[in-house]
Amino acid sequence: MDVASFNRQLQDLQDRAVASIAAADSPAALEAIESAMLGRKGELKGLLGGIGQLPAEDRPKVGALANPVRTAIEQALAERRVGLEADALDARLRAEAEDVTLPGRPRWRGSLHPLRETEREIARVFGQFGFVVVDSPEVESDELNFEALNIPADHPSRDLWDTIYVREPVGRESDERLLLRTHTSPGQIRAMRGSEPPIRVLTPGRCYRYEAVDASHGFEFFQIEGLMVDEGTTLAHLRGLLDAFAHALFGADRATRFRPGYYPFTEPSVAFDIGCVVCEGEGCPACKRSGWMTILGAGMVHPVVLRNGGIDPERYQGFAFGMGTDRIAMLRYAITDIRAFLADDMRFLERL
Ligand SMILES: [Zn+2]
């Protein structure tokens, strides 16, 4: 053995180590190579164990040759470890990746309640004729809910409007009997007292009555009323307006008619009918075989009511109409139970 022979063996050891490190496919394989080449019982140690056969002056030369070999192998091991870690990370990222090319989940969108949607549609139609929506309170005075509308305390029609009283007067001057309004009509008095003719307003909102609840009656329900006050207002204007309304909501060919009706606050009073939306006038259970459905009540505003609203009935005339928003919505959406509107059943709301 001489220095040149040690050098060849060292180079051969380095080449084999580097080749097997490059081929290693796991950290465990690298551990094994490191141990076999550089370990206490490894090849490099074994090779250098033969250094004693050399002359003493040659031994440091072999040591100097061996050091770069060890360094080269250690460097190859370190680089391969980093490479394997990067490969492992790549593989994991690929395995856990979100496929962003998949279609997203549709976002759940809310929609208008059928009552609100119907109220807006009614307001839109009358809005084309200059009617504007005004708010009025749900808790009303007895005076505005009844007295001012020509329904005095002893009037028999009060039985129709039995309601929930919020406050009874206890004798003080300022005391008023307060109640939950039984119709949106007090809004008409408020509109007349709060402005000058010409007046064209809609008063939509929630009303309350002491009522046995069934499929077509609720103790809590919705109305929308209209009021027009101007000089020369006639029943013919009312008829034309309601025809336009019926045609907008229920089709341009929809038959309409006036029938005599009765309300304390209008004179004359009419019921406004449309051709049955179920049987188209043939006669069916929904229209009690008449072919007609009443959708609202109307009439010329009673002179007493005009006067109570601060309007001079000698100069101005007015008409008013009122309908159940629930009833109109039921006809539009073919809903058979009024209780569904306030039942908070999402299946009902999503189906519409
Ligand atoms: Zn019918």
Side-chain angles (χ1 to χ4, degrees):
M1 287 288 272
D2 56 14
V3 173
S5 162
F6 266 108
N7 191 27
R8 274 197 307 279
Q9 290 187 62
L10 282 169
Q11 285 309 311
D12 172 61
L13 189 151
Q14 179 177 335
D15 291 348
R16 284 187 289 111
V18 168
S20 57
I21 288 166
D25 59 359
S26 71
L30 288 180
E31 293 276 332
I33 293 166
E34 182 172 23
S35 173
M37 293 297 178
L38 307 179
R40 274 192 301 117
K41 293 178 180 170
E43 283 196 38
L44 185 60
K45 201 94 175 174
L47 184 58
L48 295 178
I51 207 167
Q53 301 164 10
L54 290 175
E57 70 271 20
D58 283 345
R59 290 174 196 167
K61 293 176 187 167
V62 173
L65 288 170
N67 278 337
V69 170
R70 170 178 287 276
T71 304
I73 293 172
E74 282 173 346
Q75 195 175 338
L77 282 166
E79 282 172 5
R80 186 67 188 132
R81 275 198 182 97
V82 170
L84 282 176
E85 277 169 22
D87 288 351
L89 184 62
D90 274 351
R92 204 179 128 200
L93 286 175
R94 267 195 302 278
E96 295 177 2
E98 299 284 346
D99 183 354
V100 294
T101 62
L102 281 174
R105 286 194 196 111
R107 243 178 124 93
W108 188 83
R109 293 183 62 193
S111 57
L112 285 178
H113 190 280
L115 282 176
R116 181 67 71 191
E117 195 276 330
T118 298
E119 188 178 285
R120 287 195 181 178
E121 179 62 10
I122 294 169
R124 189 189 66 78
V125 172
F126 286 107
Q128 294 172 336
F129 295 91
F131 285 78
V132 296
V133 172
V134 295
D135 258 340
S136 79
E138 289 177 29
V139 175
E140 265 296 358
S141 66
D142 189 284
E143 195 241 333
L144 285 188
N145 194 78
F146 292 124
E147 302 278 342
L149 289 162
N150 204 25
I151 314 170
D154 56 357
H155 197 284
S157 73
R158 276 217 182 190
D159 292 345
L160 294 173
W161 285 287
D162 215 355
T163 185
I164 297 156
Y165 288 86
V166 175
R167 189 181 74 186
E168 284 293 317
V170 290
R172 284 192 300 269
E173 187 84 15
S174 61
D175 266 3
E176 277 187 302
R177 173 180 281 127
L178 295 181
L179 47 79
L180 294 182
R181 65 178 177 188
T182 59
H183 43 194
T184 49
S185 312
Q188 300 187 14
I189 301 292
R190 289 177 177 275
M192 285 190 280
R193 290 182 181 176
S195 59
E196 296 288 323
I199 296 169
R200 292 182 201 184
V201 293
L202 293 172
T203 60
R206 202 182 285 256
C207 307
Y208 306 84
R209 285 181 200 178
Y210 179 71
E211 188 91 58
V213 174
D214 62 25
S216 48
H217 299 86
F219 67 86
E220 183 184 9
F221 56 97
F222 293 79
Q223 277 192 343
I224 183 162
E225 293 195 21
L227 169 73
M228 171 161 173
V229 179
D230 202 351
E231 289 176 332
T233 306
T234 71
L235 205 59
H237 296 138
L238 174 63
R239 177 68 202 257
L241 179 68
L242 294 183
D243 270 2
F245 165 68
H247 293 156
L249 254 73
F250 298 104
D253 299 331
R254 185 68 48 192
T256 65
R257 73 175 183 185
F258 269 5
R259 281 186 300 118
Y262 169 75
Y263 303 102
F265 30 80
T266 47
E267 178 60 37
S269 302
V270 296
F272 182 65
D273 295 351
I274 60 170
C276 177
V277 298
V278 177
C279 66
E280 299 294 337
E282 293 291 312
C284 71
C287 59
K288 299 193 179 77
R289 313 250 166 242
S290 71
W292 295 95
M293 290 177 148
T294 303
I295 60 165
L296 59 84
M300 299 306 291
V301 181
H302 199 289
V304 168
V305 175
L306 283 175
R307 209 171 286 120
N308 288 339
I311 307 278
D312 176 8
E314 299 298 323
R315 181 174 172 195
Y316 294 106
Q317 298 75 44
F319 61 70
F321 54 88
M323 67 195 94
T325 315
D326 313 70
R327 168 123 174 102
I328 303 293
M330 288 168 85
L331 291 176
R332 295 182 78 209
Y333 295 113
I335 294 162
T336 52
D337 193 330
I338 197 172
R339 290 168 290 196
F341 287 127
L342 297 178
D344 285 346
D345 186 333
M346 290 302 288
R347 290 168 301 177
F348 164 77
L349 296 171
E350 284 167 357
R351 208 180 55 208
L352 295 173

